[in-house]
Amino acid sequence: MAEKVAGPEIEKLVQLLAKLPGLGPRSARRAVLHLIRKREELLAPLADAMRIAEERIVVCSVCGNIDTSDPCTICRDARRDASILVVVETVADLWALERAGLLNARYHVLGGVLSPLDGVGPDDLAIASLVARVRAEETREVVLAVNATVDGQTTAHYVADVLSPSGVKVTRLAHGVPVGGELDYLDEGTLAAALERRTVF
Amino acid sequence: MDWRDDGLVMGARRHGETSVILELMTRGHGRHLGLVRGGRSRRLRPVLQPGNLVAAQWRARLEDHLGALTVEPLAARAAHLLDRAVALNGVASLCALLRLLPERDPHEDLFEMADAIAARLGDIRDFEIAATMMARFELALLGALGFGLDLNACALTGAQDDLAYVSPKSGRAVSRAAGAPWRDRLLPYPDFLQHESIAAARGDLIAAFRLTGYFLTRDVLNPRGVTLPAARDLYIDALARAA
């Protein structure tokens, strides 16, 4: 059995970093060595940033976003169009849409999708709070920005059903050929969806 | 150990960062799970959607291992399901019911039925045909699970004609004449379940699902402490609304 080459503190750091997505034990060890080499410029500021984040991170009680204030920065932003509410599965999806900067709207994070296999039902998702928001706020349109998977679209249809009594306009993202996508490499399902929803050129 | 078989995708659960544990209903190997390496990739994610038909190859060192699956798409149906809630709930209900079968217990007839239903669910013109097949599938599922109904002759008279009811107690058919005094307490036995040539009316479909749902709940689900899948209720609601 190989002997440990570093003290328990460093080994613990390696073990913890190895649990991050995309990192295994070997790459975690490399990252730790890099941090140690850049102790002043990287290790200390990273440790401080992580400690502060750990202390201050909260889940927004309005939309479910993650931020250091509650309500979050997006919900507090008065310049956003309050009439459009974009419903996403996870915070990662919200951040992806924000990165694109296409919509100046507000968001609602469901916290997942309905999944019989994983035992996720409507009560496990933030659907009741979505209905309450639509009723209380001046929402005119709800955009269902969920994944084009069977579970994602089952959730979208369920949410649309639940929202139908409120009379709000419910829309969803288009399905089809992605930018940069080559037809030769697309699956039949995406091609079928793109053909069914073809538009006039 | 290895085999090749066709499989209907029932669902995939994340495993690590890049893999999934895939659940298939195969033609000759029953409900079967296996690890798909790279199952979360852009190439494979559309293939591993419920309702799709795949050509699967399973490999493991020992027979009782989880094993690894590699899959190639044969029929990509998921995209046709996404637009309609009834189709999505239909496929979710179908997969949830298939999950009642024990693992690796072959049921070729159920595979054929499930595959045919999944193929029809995506087409709005086949809405009623898919529902008819679904009701027959549930009846066959009860049989496969060891709780088949005795529907060939009247439990009271032995008559084989004009069977109109099923006893909720014994699960046996009852003729219209013999069952008349207790008809409020008996479950209707729709004609289309007796004769494949008869087309099902919407009302008959709802009655058929009530019949199979009753026995599935009593004999299969209650002993396991579970209930009928919510997707099944939503599917039947959509049927009833369309009636």
Side-chain angles (χ1 to χ4, degrees):
Chain A
M1 195 173 149
E3 279 183 40
K4 290 193 172 169
V5 292
E9 296 84 359
I10 294 173
E11 283 299 328
K12 189 175 178 184
L13 190 57
V14 171
Q15 280 173 15
L16 288 171
L17 281 179
K19 289 182 180 175
L20 293 178
L23 289 186
R26 197 176 278 260
S27 43
R29 195 168 292 278
R30 204 177 306 136
V32 166
L33 275 172
H34 185 73
L35 286 169
I36 292 169
R37 257 187 245 122
K38 307 243 173 189
R39 193 168 172 170
E40 293 304 318
E41 308 102 286
L42 207 54
L43 184 58
L46 181 68
D48 284 345
M50 288 176 83
R51 187 179 45 74
I52 292 166
E54 197 277 326
E55 283 168 5
R56 296 190 189 164
I57 280 174
V58 285
V59 174
C60 176
S61 58
V62 179
C63 71
N65 187 19
I66 291 172
D67 205 340
T68 50
S69 60
D70 184 14
C72 69
T73 313
I74 293 174
C75 289
R76 278 189 289 113
D77 187 352
R79 290 167 302 175
R80 285 188 179 257
D81 185 353
S83 67
I84 301 177
L85 195 58
V86 184
V87 177
V88 292
E89 289 179 21
T90 63
V91 173
D93 297 334
L94 188 160
W95 290 1
L97 285 168
E98 273 299 290
R99 268 202 312 276
L102 300 170
L103 266 174
N104 188 34
R106 292 191 174 166
Y107 293 90
H108 191 86
V109 181
L110 288 176
V113 285
L114 299 173
S115 170
L117 191 58
D118 296 321
V120 180
D123 295 341
D124 301 309
L125 305 178
I127 294 174
S129 56
L130 170 66
V131 175
R133 275 187 83 181
V134 168
R135 278 199 196 124
E137 297 173 11
E138 46 190 307
T139 311
R140 281 192 288 112
E141 181 179 355
V142 173
V143 183
L144 297 173
V146 293
N147 290 332
T149 58
V150 167
D151 286 347
Q153 292 305 307
T154 304
T155 310
H157 283 289
Y158 182 82
V159 171
D161 245 17
V162 170
L163 289 175
S164 62
S166 68
V168 70
K169 180 181 173 188
V170 180
T171 57
R172 68 172 183 185
L173 301 184
H175 302 154
V177 183
V179 175
E182 293 175 38
L183 296 189
D184 193 19
Y185 286 94
L186 288 182
D187 65 289
E188 293 163 40
T190 306
L191 281 173
L195 273 173
E196 278 170 22
R197 294 163 186 80
R198 64 188 182 275
T199 54
V200 177
F201 196 67
Chain B
M1 317 252 52
D2 77 333
W3 51 251
R4 284 171 189 270
D5 202 351
D6 294 345
L8 180 73
V9 176
M10 295 170 59
R13 192 177 287 166
R14 283 177 65 159
H15 185 81
E17 284 175 46
T18 57
S19 303
V20 297
I21 293 176
L22 177 66
E23 189 174 22
L24 293 174
M25 180 65 195
T26 61
R27 190 188 303 275
H29 299 84
R31 183 167 72 88
H32 211 293
L33 285 87
L35 180 77
V36 179
R37 293 197 176 86
R40 299 193 65 219
S41 66
R42 280 188 187 180
R43 187 181 72 83
L44 277 178
R45 257 203 295 203
V47 178
L48 304 183
Q49 294 296 310
N52 284 348
L53 185 70
V54 295
Q57 181 172 19
W58 179 80
R59 278 204 184 102
R61 196 165 59 79
L62 295 174
E63 198 169 350
D64 55 354
H65 281 182
L66 173 68
L69 279 166
T70 49
V71 294
E72 286 292 327
L74 289 177
R77 298 166 180 149
H80 302 288
L81 305 173
L82 300 185
D83 279 345
R84 293 184 305 119
V86 67
L88 289 166
N89 286 317
V91 87
S93 173
L94 181 70
C95 294
L97 292 172
L98 283 170
R99 221 160 267 135
L100 296 172
L101 291 166
E103 274 184 54
R104 304 187 182 193
D105 192 16
H107 291 281
E108 192 172 343
D109 52 338
L110 289 180
F111 165 80
E112 297 289 356
M113 292 173 99
D115 184 44
I117 294 168
R120 298 270 188 174
L121 276 170
D123 193 335
I124 194 161
R125 293 165 298 183
D126 290 343
F127 180 65
E128 284 179 10
I129 298 173
T132 306
M133 292 162 83
M134 186 83 88
R136 290 196 178 120
F137 164 80
E138 291 192 358
L139 206 56
L141 179 69
L142 274 167
L145 291 168
F147 298 100
L149 307 182
D150 183 357
L151 303 172
N152 293 323
C154 174
L156 298 172
T157 63
Q160 294 184 344
D161 297 329
D162 202 22
L163 301 173
Y165 307 105
V166 176
S167 161
K169 207 167 175 183
S170 66
R172 296 181 67 187
V174 181
S175 69
R176 193 178 309 278
W182 301 282
R183 67 174 176 217
D184 294 342
R185 281 147 63 187
L186 297 171
L187 296 162
Y189 179 27
D191 284 345
F192 82 90
L193 287 180
Q194 304 173 46
H195 310 286
E196 291 224 353
S197 56
I198 295 178
R202 295 276 168 96
D204 284 346
L205 286 169
I206 307 299
F209 284 119
R210 209 179 126 219
L211 175 73
T212 51
Y214 175 84
F215 288 104
L216 278 169
T217 303
R218 190 191 74 175
D219 297 332
V220 182
L221 302 169
N222 279 353
R224 301 186 193 191
V226 290
T227 56
L228 282 166
R232 184 181 183 273
D233 294 340
L234 294 170
Y235 178 68
I236 297 169
D237 281 352
L239 268 180
R241 275 204 301 270

